[in-house]
Amino acid sequence: MEIKKIAVLGAGLMGNGIAHVCAQAGYEVKMRDIDQKFVDKGIATIKKNLERGLQKGRITQKEIDEILGRIEGILDLKEAVKDADLVIEAVPEIVSLKIDVWKEVDAAAPDHAILASNTSSISITQMAAATKRPGKFIGMHFFNPVPVMNLVEIIKGQATDEETAKIIVDVSKKLGKETVLVNEAPGFAVNRILVPTLLEAVFAIQEGVATVEDMDTSVRLGLNWPMGPLTLLDFVGLDTALHISDYFVDEFKDSKYRAPTLLRKMVRAGWLGRKSGMGFYDYSGDKPKPNRF
Ligand code: CAA
C-alpha cells in the first residue's frame, strides 16, 4: 500500500510540526483541530518555521508556497480522515479523549488506513483495542521541535502487524527521520530515560544542590546536552512531565518514578514552562531569567 494522503489530528506544538514535515516530504496533508483559531495558529507556525530556511538560502519562496499548498486546515474530523491513507493523532494526552477520537476516526477512515498515535506515554494497545483494526494501529512518536529532531520512535502494540510497522518505518524515512522500532512499555524507550532524569534534576533543585542555571550549565557542558534539564523541562512542558511521571507510577507500581513536590506545586500554580511564560525560568523579559527555589 502506498501512503499519499495523511490526516494530522491536532494543530498544536506537535501536530503542526508533524503536518510541516509530512507536507515537506510531498504528502497531501489535512491538519485538523477543534477550533479555527488553533488551525490558523498551527498554519502560521508552520509558515514561520519554514521561513527560517529562507534567509539561509536552504529553501525558496516557491518551495514554501508549494509545501503550504499541500496543507489544508480543517475542523470536521470525518472530512479530515475520510480519504486518508494514514491518520496521525496528536491531541492532548488524555486517555478518554484519545479513545473517543480513535473510535470516531475508525468509523470514518477508509478500511485500508493506518492509525498512528504520537502519544508520548499512553498505551498503544489500549487505544488500538478501541478500534476495529488493532493490526493497523501503531505509535509514531515525534520529538519537539519536529522539523529539527531526527528521530521517530515507532511503537508496536500487542496486535500491531508487521506490515503496518514496515509501512510506518518507510513513511518516517521519507520524512527524513531515523527510526527505532520498540515494543510497547510505559514511556517506550526515550521517555523511559528522559523523564526520570528530568525529575532527578528537580529533586536536586528542591534539595538545594544547585541553582537552576548551575544545574543547567552542569548538564549542558558536563554531558554535552544541547539544553540543560530545567530548560528542557520548560521546553517540554512541566504538565507533560508530571503527567508522564504519574502514569509511570500507576503503570509500574513503583515509587521510584514519583514526581518531586516542587514540580507538582509549579504545575498547580500554572507554571508550565515556556508555553505559560513561567517555569524554572521566567520568560516575560527579553531573555529567560532563572527563578530561585
Ligand atoms: N522549527 C524549525 N526549525 C527550528 C525550530 C523549529 N521549531 N527550532 C529551531 N530550529 C532550527 C533553527 O532554525 C536552526 O537551524 P540551522 O541550524 O539550520 O540554522 C537550528 O534548528 C538550531 O536552532 P537555534 O540555533 O535557534 O538554537 P539551538 O542551536 O539552541 O537549537 C534546539 C535549538 C534544536 C531546540 C536544541 O536546543 C535542542 O536540540 N534541544 C533539545 C530538544 C529536545 O531534547 N527535544 C526533545 C524533547 S522530548 C519530546 O519532545 C518528547 C516527549 O515525549 C516529551
Side-chain angles (χ1 to χ4, degrees):
M1 183 185 74
E2 200 192 342
I3 306 286
K4 289 191 176 138
K5 295 183 176 176
I6 301 182
V8 178
L9 308 180
L13 190 68
M14 299 306 287
N16 76 60
I18 296 167
H20 171 148
V21 295
C22 290
Q24 191 151 18
Y27 293 106
E28 290 297 325
V29 179
K30 285 187 180 152
M31 181 173 74
R32 186 260 178 179
D33 213 314
I34 53 172
D35 194 311
Q36 192 60 43
K37 68 172 186 276
F38 299 139
V39 173
D40 292 345
K41 193 168 172 216
I43 303 253
T45 304
I46 296 172
K47 190 164 179 285
K48 192 182 85 201
N49 285 332
L50 281 168
E51 282 167 357
R52 285 168 184 263
L54 202 56
Q55 290 93 339
K56 294 169 194 154
R58 277 198 214 108
I59 194 164
T60 63
Q61 187 59 52
K62 184 168 171 280
E63 284 165 331
I64 292 180
D65 293 342
E66 280 167 6
I67 294 167
L68 291 172
R70 281 194 286 273
I71 305 174
E72 182 189 344
I74 190 164
L75 296 178
D76 190 289
L77 182 72
K78 288 191 182 68
E79 274 299 310
V81 304
K82 72 170 192 209
D83 56 358
D85 305 309
L86 167 63
V87 180
I88 307 177
E89 166 271 318
V91 308
E93 293 280 280
I94 303 164
V95 181
S96 56
L97 171 67
K98 292 212 191 249
I99 287 186
D100 286 350
V101 166
W102 281 126
K103 282 186 177 153
E104 226 183 305
V105 170
D106 191 33
D111 288 345
H112 73 269
I114 291 178
L115 311 184
S117 177
N118 175 57
T119 182
S120 50
S121 61
I122 293 170
S123 166
I124 300 302
T125 305
Q126 187 182 2
M127 286 185 278
T131 74
K132 295 191 182 68
R133 58 182 104 186
K136 290 187 180 299
F137 199 103
I138 197 158
M140 201 176 178
H141 186 209
F142 290 83
F143 296 84
N144 178 28
V146 178
V148 181
M149 301 297 284
N150 284 327
L151 183 69
V152 177
E153 189 179 28
I154 299 169
I155 306 106
K156 283 169 70 184
Q158 187 62 34
T160 309
D161 59 41
E162 291 302 327
E163 179 63 11
T164 301
K166 189 181 163 302
I167 292 169
I168 294 304
V169 168
D170 289 347
V171 170
S172 304
K173 291 200 169 136
K174 198 171 161 200
L175 301 181
K177 306 296 186 192
E178 293 271 342
T179 59
V180 286
L181 190 56
V182 303
N183 289 314
E184 180 183 326
F188 319 133
V190 175
N191 279 335
R192 180 76 172 264
I193 305 305
L194 176 67
V195 173
T197 309
L198 298 183
L199 296 177
E200 203 55 41
V202 182
F203 276 116
I205 294 296
Q206 194 173 274
E207 286 164 23
V209 173
T211 60
V212 167
E213 62 271 42
D214 281 354
M215 177 57 80
D216 271 349
T217 304
S218 306
V219 175
R220 201 165 44 78
L221 301 184
L223 296 176
N224 225 357
W225 286 28
M227 290 173 163
L230 303 162
T231 302
L232 186 53
L233 259 168
D234 278 359
F235 187 67
V236 167
L238 273 59
D239 51 338
T240 302
L242 177 62
H243 173 83
I244 298 175
S245 157
D246 285 344
Y247 184 76
F248 279 12
V249 172
D250 280 352
E251 287 282 314
F252 289 117
K253 310 285 180 237
D254 188 337
S255 66
K256 82 174 175 187
Y257 298 104
R258 76 200 178 285
T261 314
L262 175 60
L263 181 67
R264 198 174 295 283
K265 204 165 59 171
M266 290 171 75
V267 171
R268 284 181 177 151
W271 293 24
L272 307 182
R274 273 200 207 180
K275 63 184 166 190
S276 72
M278 187 65 86
F280 287 94
Y281 292 82
D282 176 351
Y283 297 90
S284 59
D286 291 346
K287 61 182 213 176
K289 189 166 153 276
N291 282 315
R292 298 268 161 258
F293 295 94

